Amino acid sequence: MKTTILTPTAEHLELAAKALCSGEVVGMPTETVYGLAANALDPQAVNAIFAVKGRPADNPLIVHISDLSELQKVVSHFSETASKLAQAFWPGPLTMILPRHPQIPDVVTAGLNTVGVRMPSDQTACALIAAAGVPLAAPSANTSGKPSPTSAEHVYHDLNGKLRYIIDGGNCTVGLESTVALIGDDTVTILRPGAVTEEDFKKIVANVTTDPAVLEGVQDATQPVASPGMKYKHYAPAAALTLVQGGFAGFYQVAANSAEEQSGVLVFEGEERFFDCPAFTYGKEGDSDSQAEELFGALRAIDESGCRQVFVRMPKTDGVGMAVYNRLLRACAFRQIQAENLFVLGLTGPTGSGKSVAAKLFAEQFGTVLDCDRISREVAAEKQVLRQLAAAFGEDVVSSGVLDRKLLADRAFADEAHHAMLDGIMYPAITKSLLEALKHQQGMVLIDAPTLFESGAQILCDAVLAVLAPPSVRLERILKRDGVTEEQAVARMRVQQQDSYYRDRADAVLVNDTEVNNLLKKAGELFGSFQKAKKV
Ligand code: TXA
Ligand code: MG
């Protein structure tokens, strides 16, 4: 059978609707993942879904409707709680498990007396359901054992030759399957977390719980489960995936120290550049929506890559993060490890703020300090970096393997473009050197970097502390410390970032406006509070 990907025009939807009415299956976009749809009232058509997907017959399907009026064909009772939830979350990524209407064939519900029902918000899905004129049963349109598809290409990849039409609705905006929830009288039990979260339900219904299988898996396969889907591994990746609890630096240690041949990593956007092995990304750190959207595509890319072992960055677990975590746990077959007990604190601030005083205290009482000024000088003596500097600023900035700092400074600070070129060479080299140093650290580590944010090295930090001071105090310190004229000191201060720059980006701010002892006291308290909170 030839499989065609169709754009969602009215004409194409009509074609697909006709195919559905004559008992065929069709690939359908929804906001969550693509579905493999068939007429829910036609047992033979529904049988075809199981055959095409290779799905176990005891795993029931979700019935999709486009209008509340269709509910009466699907459920036998729609409680007040269900009605409130429909009003709040439909159309959208919520599947409600409700008492089943006798007209719904056994093959849809795997013989259960309940049925899963959902009204998708995707316009194309709704138009297709309406054009077919019947509720559509649809599981995710992947081959069983693959991640759910989030684009028409994913569906084509898995099911090419097994169906006539796939409607292309673009990439799914949610990216994870719907929340599946058992709806009782004034109770909700979450069987599969999704974009409608426990927190969302609690605004509507008082009694909301999450089935333990969401985080623990099914412990005893012979026991009955609330949702048959819980029993299945769902997705069996070609590589052995392992979730790593902890921050980025701890993750880097695990990945660097346990890597074998054909190892890879699944990290957050921007982190991939630190790895020499194949590195895949799933969204931004701390942004569950983007992680949800990209996770399945990333898992597919890992499957294609030939990696045998992949370490995975831990997502946040609140809100939609719980759904991301749940899918990852299953992809990892519940394999999780804890990174080394390591807490990396970034220390930054403008010149003359008293940063070095705080760093000295840290070194004496809390842990290792990685001083970026020193690292920068070391890095500038490395062959590879010298070659890059010579290529960018002229061969004469390096003579007999030694950097002419004065000449380099003259050329690099001549204008913005040259300055940026210098940063473009130095910052990555410094960050690489920091990571190399972090590989062997434990406990508390401080990265002391005046340009922590500019260099991108804050990505290595679990928290960042900025030290600020009023301009008059800073001026006085620079004059005393560096033996420069007032004019030179003011010029130096002028090229520094404003206080707001640091305040916007740091996790904590220390204002150093009185005497040194006071700064030491405040810094000591702050370092101590991080140490206590992070148990390092
Ligand atoms: O977002 C979604 O839900 C997508 C799109 C296409 O709508 N569909 C989807 O379907 O993910 P599927 O078949 O891959 O997952 C349906 C899940 C399974 O875990 C199944 O066990 C559960 O819903 N389920 C369906 N009917 C149920 C019922 N009556 N009782 C308990 N669990 C049920
Ligand atoms: Mg599925």
Side-chain angles (χ1 to χ4, degrees):
M1 189 187 299
K2 184 172 162 15
T3 300
T4 312
I5 299 183
L6 298 175
T7 52
T9 60
E11 203 181 321
H12 287 156
L13 291 178
E14 207 44 58
L15 207 60
K18 269 212 192 97
L20 285 165
C21 291
S22 63
E24 283 184 44
V25 298
V26 167
M28 166 177 81
T30 85
E31 72 280 21
T32 56
V33 299
Y34 274 70
L36 183 62
N39 178 356
L41 306 179
D42 175 354
Q44 293 240 288
V46 175
N47 269 325
I49 292 178
F50 286 86
V52 167
K53 252 187 86 98
R55 179 180 177 106
D58 65 348
N59 198 1
L61 305 178
I62 295 169
V63 176
H64 298 71
I65 57 172
S66 63
D67 193 284
L68 279 180
S69 63
E70 291 155 12
L71 259 185
Q72 47 187 310
K73 296 184 207 155
V74 183
V75 303
S76 61
H77 176 64
F78 200 60
S79 66
E80 202 173 313
T81 303
S83 170
K84 275 195 250 168
L85 292 169
Q87 209 157 54
F89 304 118
W90 277 359
L94 169 63
T95 296
M96 291 199 253
I97 308 294
L98 295 166
R100 155 196 176 184
H101 192 283
Q103 194 185 334
I104 295 292
D106 269 345
V107 56
V108 172
T109 65
L112 298 174
N113 54 18
T114 54
V115 62
V117 58
R118 154 167 131 81
M119 187 192 292
S121 63
D122 184 271
Q123 301 273 313
T124 307
C126 288
L128 182 64
I129 300 165
V134 286
L136 297 180
S140 50
N142 51 295
T143 299
S144 271
K146 283 266 161 212
S148 293
T150 52
S151 71
E153 289 72 33
H154 291 165
V155 181
Y156 187 86
H157 175 275
D158 283 12
L159 303 179
N160 178 23
K162 296 184 175 167
L163 75 181
R164 260 205 303 166
Y165 302 128
I166 300 167
I167 308 287
D168 187 352
N171 289 348
C172 299
T173 50
V174 175
L176 297 181
E177 307 89 344
S178 62
T179 306
V180 176
L182 186 62
I183 313 301
D185 291 330
D186 232 11
T187 64
V188 165
T189 311
I190 298 173
L191 306 180
R192 178 175 77 182
V196 175
T197 66
E198 191 173 303
E199 294 87 334
D200 292 333
F201 284 121
K202 283 185 174 154
K203 289 179 200 144
I204 315 274
V205 178
N207 192 342
V208 182
T209 50
T210 294
D211 193 288
V214 163
L215 288 180
E216 292 160 17
V218 174
Q219 304 298 324
D220 180 352
T222 61
Q223 291 299 307
V225 291
S227 176
M230 290 171 167
K231 278 192 314 205
Y232 298 102
K233 197 163 154 213
H234 202 73
Y235 156 58
L241 267 55
T242 304
L243 259 174
V244 183
Q245 308 262 5
F248 179 68
F251 177 87
Y252 186 82
Q253 285 189 337
V254 170
N257 298 335
S258 359
E260 294 162 10
E261 242 173 78
Q262 293 181 293
S263 283
V265 293
L266 177 57
V267 296
F268 299 122
E269 224 170 81
E271 295 172 350
E272 69 277 19
R273 63 196 154 100
F274 300 115
F275 297 89
D276 297 325
C277 62
F280 306 86
T281 63
Y282 76 107
K284 298 189 183 65
E285 175 163 28
D287 175 4
S288 302
D289 289 341
S290 69
Q291 292 166 12
E293 199 179 333
E294 292 177 26
L295 179 63
F296 286 151
L299 291 176
R300 281 179 177 261
I302 290 173
D303 268 348
E304 313 254 290
S305 73
C307 282
R308 306 289 314 144
Q309 180 193 39
V310 174
F311 295 103
V312 183
R313 281 276 270 140
M314 176 71 190
K316 260 191 344 162
T317 58
D318 58 333
V320 182
M322 181 47 71
V324 175
Y325 180 47
N326 165 264
R327 303 311 189 274
L328 272 171
L329 271 177
R330 301 177 68 122
C332 291
F334 295 89
R335 224 179 354 256
Q336 293 188 79
I337 56 172
Q338 178 70 47
E340 190 68 62
N341 201 14
L342 175 69
F343 183 75
V344 182
L345 182 63
L347 183 71
T348 190
T351 179
S353 61
K355 206 167 56 64
S356 322
V357 177
K360 191 154 168 278
L361 174 80
F362 188 95
E364 284 162 7
Q365 295 184 15
F366 292 92
T368 310
V369 172
L370 303 174
D371 173 356
C372 285
D373 285 337
R374 181 182 53 76
I375 291 175
S376 161
R377 283 192 297 277
E378 285 167 8
V379 158
E382 286 172 10
K383 274 208 187 83
Q384 162 104 20
V385 175
L386 285 174
R387 257 201 302 276
Q388 283 177 280
L389 291 173
F393 296 101
E395 294 298 327
D396 53 342
V397 300
V398 180
S399 68
S400 11
V402 179
L403 186 65
D404 183 338
R405 288 178 177 280
K406 166 94 182 48
L407 188 60
L408 175 67
D410 286 348
R411 291 189 186 155
F413 298 116
D415 57 54
E416 285 282 314
H418 282 86
H419 197 164
M421 220 148 77
L422 179 65
D423 290 346
I425 295 171
M426 293 305 292
Y427 286 158
I430 293 170
T431 318
K432 198 162 162 236
S433 171
L434 280 169
L435 265 176
E436 201 49 45
L438 283 172
K439 236 191 219 172
H440 311 287
Q441 297 291 335
Q442 281 185 23
M444 296 270 279
V445 176
L446 187 84
I447 296 181
D448 176 1
T451 52
L452 185 78
F453 296 117
E454 295 87 337
S455 67
Q458 91 281 0
I459 216 171
L460 316 181
C461 302
D462 297 306
V464 175
L465 171 63
V467 184
L468 303 176
S472 58
V473 176
R474 288 172 52 209
L475 179 64
E476 200 179 310
R477 287 211 190 100
I478 296 169
L479 287 173
K480 218 190 263 172
R481 182 188 67 190
D482 299 347
V484 291
T485 66
E486 180 157 346
E487 206 179 29
Q488 286 168 321
V490 168
R492 253 188 227 182
M493 285 172 59
R494 200 174 297 130
V495 297
Q496 303 254 303
Q497 307 282 6
Q498 300 289 315
D499 282 4
S500 59
Y501 175 87
Y502 299 101
R503 285 186 186 280
D504 289 349
R505 291 167 177 77
D507 300 287
V509 173
L510 219 168
V511 180
N512 175 21
D513 49 6
T514 51
E515 54 186 33
V516 157
N517 280 337
N518 206 11
L519 169 69
L520 286 174
K521 184 165 167 278
K522 283 199 270 187
E525 280 165 11
L526 256 170
F527 294 149
S529 69
F530 278 119
Q531 189 174 40
K532 207 163 146 207
K534 306 296 170 184
K535 301 191 179 71
V536 275

